Amino acid sequence: MDYINSLENNTIKKIKKLKIKKYREEEQLFIAEGRKFLDFEFVPEMLIFHEDYAITDEIQKKIDRFQCRKIKVSDKVFSQLTSQENSQGVIVIYPMKKGDLNILNDNIVVLDKIGDPGNLGTIIRVADAGGFKDILLTKGSVDCWNEKVVRSSMGSILNMNIIYLEEEKLISFLKEKGYKMEVTALDKTSIEYTEMSLSEKNAIIFGSEGNGVSQRFLEVSDEKLIIPIYGIAESLNVAMACGIILYKTREILGAKN
């Protein structure tokens, strides 16, 4: 295992650049941080450990599975790479997974200009937990390879098929492939989410935190859904709303089968 103590090292400079979307896209690599990533089978490009991180026999077995570069770095170098105040001392560099429209399942999640990385990461996690493997986002949404998104997804991002499309291309694709569009919206014509009527193919569509779905999605929706509020809260966090509706979707689909 290599040891690096210099901030001027080319490898360290390359890793630091991955904190910026432009360079992530150029290199097709992203940063994941935390011990849990050593448990996944997804093959990394590089493993980085803080110099004080103890490589036990158990950890050694985990990292021996991967034929990739493995390095230890000094405290001053690691402090420039980590994005966490209380880091566990493990950083993994992964190749980006390319999304594929040709392998979509019959029930998918669509996100319209989601801006908060924590929300996107949580949505990825809850979608994965609910058995949804495909997430389509309109361009203008936060980058799913952002470190905060990756961290909030708790590794679920490695299981997902994630694709970005321009709004009109996304809508045209959903129509062409016969997806029923279930749009979450605060609209006078909205029905309670418990009353949604699902088809053989369904796209469950959620809007941005501040603005909701676009007018265009409202126009093309087959059904508009709302989660009733019984207390004094004005609204629900989009990730929370996503979890409620996706699990109800799973329940309805299960009852149909």
Side-chain angles (χ1 to χ4, degrees):
M1 187 177 294
D2 297 333
Y3 178 79
I4 297 176
N5 186 35
S6 172
L7 293 172
E8 298 305 311
N9 180 276
N10 287 334
T11 297
I12 301 306
K13 287 181 177 179
K14 178 179 177 179
I15 296 168
K16 286 181 68 176
K17 282 185 174 182
L18 298 179
K19 294 179 177 293
I20 301 170
K21 180 182 178 183
K22 171 186 174 182
Y23 293 107
R24 287 196 295 271
E25 290 177 345
E26 285 181 5
E27 299 291 341
Q28 287 296 291
L29 297 171
F30 70 96
I31 299 171
E33 186 168 355
R35 282 193 300 262
K36 63 183 173 292
F37 288 99
L38 298 177
D39 296 329
F40 300 122
E41 296 300 323
F42 196 64
V43 179
E45 181 85 5
M46 189 184 308
L47 296 173
I48 301 123
F49 299 95
H50 187 281
E51 61 184 344
D52 293 334
Y53 187 81
I55 308 292
T56 62
D57 290 343
E58 180 184 358
I59 297 296
Q60 191 64 53
K61 286 179 182 178
K62 290 180 179 182
I63 67 179
D64 283 346
R65 293 174 299 152
F66 304 121
Q67 299 301 312
C68 67
R69 189 177 181 192
K70 298 143 190 171
I71 61 176
K72 273 198 171 186
V73 299
S74 65
D75 182 69
K76 73 175 180 181
V77 171
F78 195 89
S79 67
Q80 294 296 304
L81 303 181
T82 183
S83 61
Q84 301 181 22
E85 285 187 18
N86 298 302
S87 176
Q88 295 177 334
V90 180
I91 293 174
V92 182
I93 308 300
Y94 283 116
M96 285 185 183
K97 290 182 66 179
K98 294 186 182 298
D100 188 348
L101 284 172
N102 296 313
I103 61 171
L104 292 186
N105 291 280
D106 289 340
N107 297 284
I108 63 175
V109 179
V110 175
L111 304 176
D112 181 29
K113 293 183 175 59
I114 296 295
D116 183 87
N119 278 340
L120 177 54
T122 302
I123 290 170
I124 291 170
R125 185 180 179 185
V126 77
D128 184 19
F132 296 82
K133 294 300 181 184
D134 307 287
I135 297 181
L136 277 61
L137 300 99
T138 54
K139 289 194 174 177
S141 297
V142 65
D143 178 25
C144 69
W145 308 113
N146 174 300
E147 286 179 79
K148 188 172 181 181
V149 176
V150 175
R151 183 166 65 252
S152 299
S153 81
M154 295 295 288
S156 285
I157 195 167
L158 302 177
N159 302 327
M160 304 300 285
N161 181 34
I162 302 176
I163 301 158
Y164 287 79
L165 290 172
E166 296 289 352
E167 182 181 75
E168 281 303 324
K169 287 185 179 179
L170 176 48
I171 290 171
S172 296
F173 175 82
L174 295 176
K175 286 182 174 180
E176 177 190 338
K177 297 301 181 182
Y179 282 94
K180 183 175 185 182
M181 288 185 257
E182 301 279 356
V183 175
T184 56
L186 294 171
D187 188 86
K188 63 182 179 181
T189 63
S190 295
I191 62 171
E192 290 195 16
Y193 75 101
T194 54
E195 302 300 320
M196 62 180 161
S197 54
L198 298 173
S199 181
E200 289 186 8
K201 298 177 72 174
N202 304 283
I204 316 299
I205 303 169
F206 300 88
S208 69
E209 297 82 352
N211 301 316
V213 295
S214 71
Q215 185 61 37
R216 186 75 179 106
F217 272 114
L218 290 176
E219 291 169 359
V220 299
S221 65
D222 295 300
E223 228 170 27
K224 300 183 187 73
L225 308 177
I226 189 171
I227 299 173
I229 302 291
Y230 300 109
I232 62 172
E234 184 178 310
S235 62
L236 290 174
N237 171 286
V238 65
M240 185 179 295
C242 185
I244 292 169
I245 292 178
L246 291 187
Y247 268 82
K248 186 63 182 179
T249 301
R250 179 57 58 199
E251 179 186 326
I252 294 171
L253 292 172
K256 282 188 170 186
N257 295 330

